[in-house]
Structures are given as C-alpha cells and as structure tokens.
Amino acid sequence: FSYETTINSVQRSLERLNCDYIDVLQLHDPEFAPSISILLKETIPALLECKRRGWTRALGLTGYPLEVQQEILVKAEREFGRNVFDQSLVYCHNNLHDNSLFSEFCFASRGSPTDTFAGFCQHSNIHLMAAAPLSMGLLTHSGPPNWHPAPLELKEACVEASKICQCEGVDVSSLAIMYSLSHPSIGCTLLGMKDEEEVDVAADLASRFSAVDFNNGSQDSILDQVLTPKERQVLDKLLDKTHGPFSQLKEDYRWDGRKEATNFWALVDDLKREPCNNQS
C-alpha cells in the first residue's frame, strides 16, 4: 500500500497489458491495509499521480465492508478537497440474503444522517457496481467452498433456500442472479463463471432483461417482467420476512469483513514467527 509500491505496480500492469492507460484503476480490498492513514498518505496520492500522468482515466474502490469503503470515501474527500473516486465496487451485498447496500445506514452520510451506502454513492456521483450475486457460492445447489467466511447460521439458511427451490423445480442460482440483476440502482453486476455452460446460462438469464426499462420501474415491477409465475412464487417464499429461510438471521445475514482482515494479518504474523524447517 506504499506510494512507491503502488506506482511500480501500475507500471508493471501497463507493461504486461501492453497498453498506454487503464480504464479504471482500483484500490482493492482496503480493509486489508495496515491503516486508513497509510491509504490517505501513500496509496491514494499514488493513484492520483497515476491519473495525472495519464495512466488511468478513472479511480475506483473495491472491497467487502461497506463501512470501510465509506470511511475512505469521506476521509479522502476531506483530505484532498474533492471527490477522489469515480467508482465503487462491492460484493455480496446485493443478493437474496443481504441487501445492506439499500437498507443499512452509513456512519457519516452526505446530506441525510440516514443515508444508505447506495444513496451516499449517488449523492457523491460515484458509480456503484455490485459483484457476487451468488454470494461466493452460498446461493448454489452445491454450496460454498470450505473457506467461505459466512457464519454457520447463514450457510444453513442458504441450504434451506436451495431445498425450497429444488422442491419447486427452480434453480436457486438462476433466481439469485435475476434478483440481483433486477435492481435499477445498480448499473453493473459482476458474475464469475468457470466454463462455457455457465456463460451460456448467464447470457440466457440476462437476455430476459433486454426489453426492461430500468429508468421507469421498481425492482418488484422488473422482477414481474422477467420471472415466470413459478419463479416469482418461489422468490416470494425465500424473501418472506416471517417464514422465509433468511427471516431469523438478524446479524448473521453477512460476515465481518474487518474481522476477516484482522485474522489474516494475525495468521501472517504467526507464520513469520514460526522457525523455518531446513531440509537437507
């Protein structure tokens, strides 16, 4: 996250890409930085220098904890006297179990003290993008990888959601993707795909939205246009706030991104203290 490392990293990327500039240069996973201070004093000034040199057209911020992103956005504007970032990319916050982009209050919003992160970005003219509509494997029939940081209660709720879909002959992943694509406030949704079959499925789902006017319609009205009656019925079951699989989660509908970063650095420190095993 140092100034020199950031500059050198961008230079290497330009050389490897064999191009003159990068469309959007992103500060990735800032929650893993040693402190917000080093971002303000080292990393962000380096990003601004890259933009001044013409190495990038725009600056972006990516990461999981919304409160970390907003803290950086607010403090960067105060530090540099203007809005530094053009784009924010978040993940796992616009899906069947987590809508905190639109439902949770941020700590220091602009204008209204009850602004959400999505509202904050809109007021600040920051383009909001959302990734991982399947919540890194939680919203699939096969389930997430072993390393997934979600609490057990959330994993069990997602299994229950998958079972409900299977009983009704609906694919939970397809339903989750269309739910995320349907929000009119998200200009771009990023989805990971591992093979041609998944690409074809995603393309078919996206084609259902070809006639949708996102400028004139709520998420519910858009879902009514793209879902079959059976899919709509199953979605309503999943989102039921009284009896749905996610209705009793309370604070367990997501995981603690800051805690994950803290645990990561603690593990790094432990590994550094371990003696090297010399092998003959």
Side-chain angles (χ1 to χ4, degrees), residues 7 26 28 36 60 62 83 104 108 141 181 191 213 231 248:
I7 293 290
Q26 295 176 324
H28 182 57
I36 299 294
T62 77
N83 185 17
E104 288 206 344
H141 288 310
L181 290 175
L191 170 67
D213 182 2
E231 289 168 341
Q248 305 302 316

Side-chain angles (χ1 to χ4, degrees), residues 143-159:
N146 293 333
W147 51 260
H148 200 291
L152 178 61
E153 292 81 0
L154 175 55
K155 292 180 179 179
E156 291 176 344
C158 289
V159 170

Side-chain angles (χ1 to χ4, degrees), residues 108-170:
S109 62
R110 177 189 312 214
S112 169
T114 59
D115 213 355
T116 62
F117 185 81
F120 172 82
C121 288
Q122 183 179 15
H123 295 161
S124 303
N125 197 29
I126 297 170
H127 298 281
L128 182 60
M129 303 168 64
L134 302 182
S135 205
M136 300 193 299
L138 282 175
L139 297 168
T140 64
H141 288 310
S142 58
N146 293 333
W147 51 260
H148 200 291
L152 178 61
E153 292 81 0
L154 175 55
K155 292 180 179 179
E156 291 176 344
C158 289
V159 170
E160 180 62 24
S162 178
K163 290 179 180 178
I164 292 172
C165 289
Q166 284 182 311
C167 289
E168 299 289 347
V170 172

Side-chain angles (χ1 to χ4, degrees), residues 82-262:
R82 58 187 174 88
N83 185 17
V84 171
F85 292 96
D86 306 285
Q87 170 261 325
S88 168
L89 171 61
V90 301
Y91 64 95
C92 297
H93 291 300
N94 178 38
N95 56 56
L96 294 175
H97 67 80
D98 185 340
N99 280 288
S100 50
L101 275 178
F102 313 100
S103 61
E104 288 206 344
F105 300 149
C106 290
F107 81 98
S109 62
R110 177 189 312 214
S112 169
T114 59
D115 213 355
T116 62
F117 185 81
F120 172 82
C121 288
Q122 183 179 15
H123 295 161
S124 303
N125 197 29
I126 297 170
H127 298 281
L128 182 60
M129 303 168 64
L134 302 182
S135 205
M136 300 193 299
L138 282 175
L139 297 168
T140 64
H141 288 310
S142 58
N146 293 333
W147 51 260
H148 200 291
L152 178 61
E153 292 81 0
L154 175 55
K155 292 180 179 179
E156 291 176 344
C158 289
V159 170
E160 180 62 24
S162 178
K163 290 179 180 178
I164 292 172
C165 289
Q166 284 182 311
C167 289
E168 299 289 347
V170 172
D171 181 67
V172 65
S173 297
S174 296
L175 195 60
I177 291 170
M178 288 188 288
Y179 178 78
S180 295
L181 290 175
S182 66
H183 206 292
S185 297
I186 302 296
C188 179
T189 299
L190 300 183
L191 170 67
M193 295 161 281
K194 69 177 184 295
D195 53 40
E196 291 185 13
E197 182 180 357
E198 291 189 356
V199 173
D200 290 338
V201 170
D204 288 341
L205 295 175
S207 68
R208 296 201 199 182
F209 293 83
S210 59
V212 172
D213 182 2
F214 284 91
N215 295 319
N216 293 289
S218 64
Q219 185 177 27
D220 274 339
S221 66
I222 292 172
L223 286 168
D224 287 338
Q225 295 177 60
V226 300
L227 297 181
T228 66
K230 172 65 73 174
E231 289 168 341
R232 181 75 222 209
Q233 181 183 16
V234 174
L235 178 63
D236 290 342
K237 284 185 179 181
L238 299 186
L239 299 181
D240 189 298
K241 294 182 179 180
T242 303
H243 304 292
F246 308 115
S247 60
Q248 305 302 316
L249 284 178
K250 297 181 180 179
E251 295 300 321
D252 294 320
Y253 68 92
R254 63 177 182 178
W255 51 96
D256 188 338
R258 275 182 156 163
K259 182 179 179 181
E260 291 299 317
T262 300

Side-chain angles (χ1 to χ4, degrees), residues 16-28:
R16 291 169 179 170
L17 292 169
N18 191 29
C19 61
D20 296 325
Y21 67 90
I22 297 168
D23 290 304
V24 183
L25 187 59
Q26 295 176 324
L27 171 53
H28 182 57

Side-chain angles (χ1 to χ4, degrees), residues 1-8 10 25 27 33-50 59 72 76 79-80 84-85:
F1 292 97
S2 71
Y3 184 96
E4 182 179 1
T5 299
T6 303
I7 293 290
N8 291 339
V10 176
L25 187 59
L27 171 53
S35 67
I36 299 294
S37 177
I38 192 173
L39 299 178
L40 295 172
K41 301 301 182 184
E42 298 272 347
T43 316
I44 295 175
L47 295 176
L48 290 170
E49 176 61 17
C50 291
L59 299 179
I72 294 169
E79 179 77 17
F80 301 100
V84 171
F85 292 96

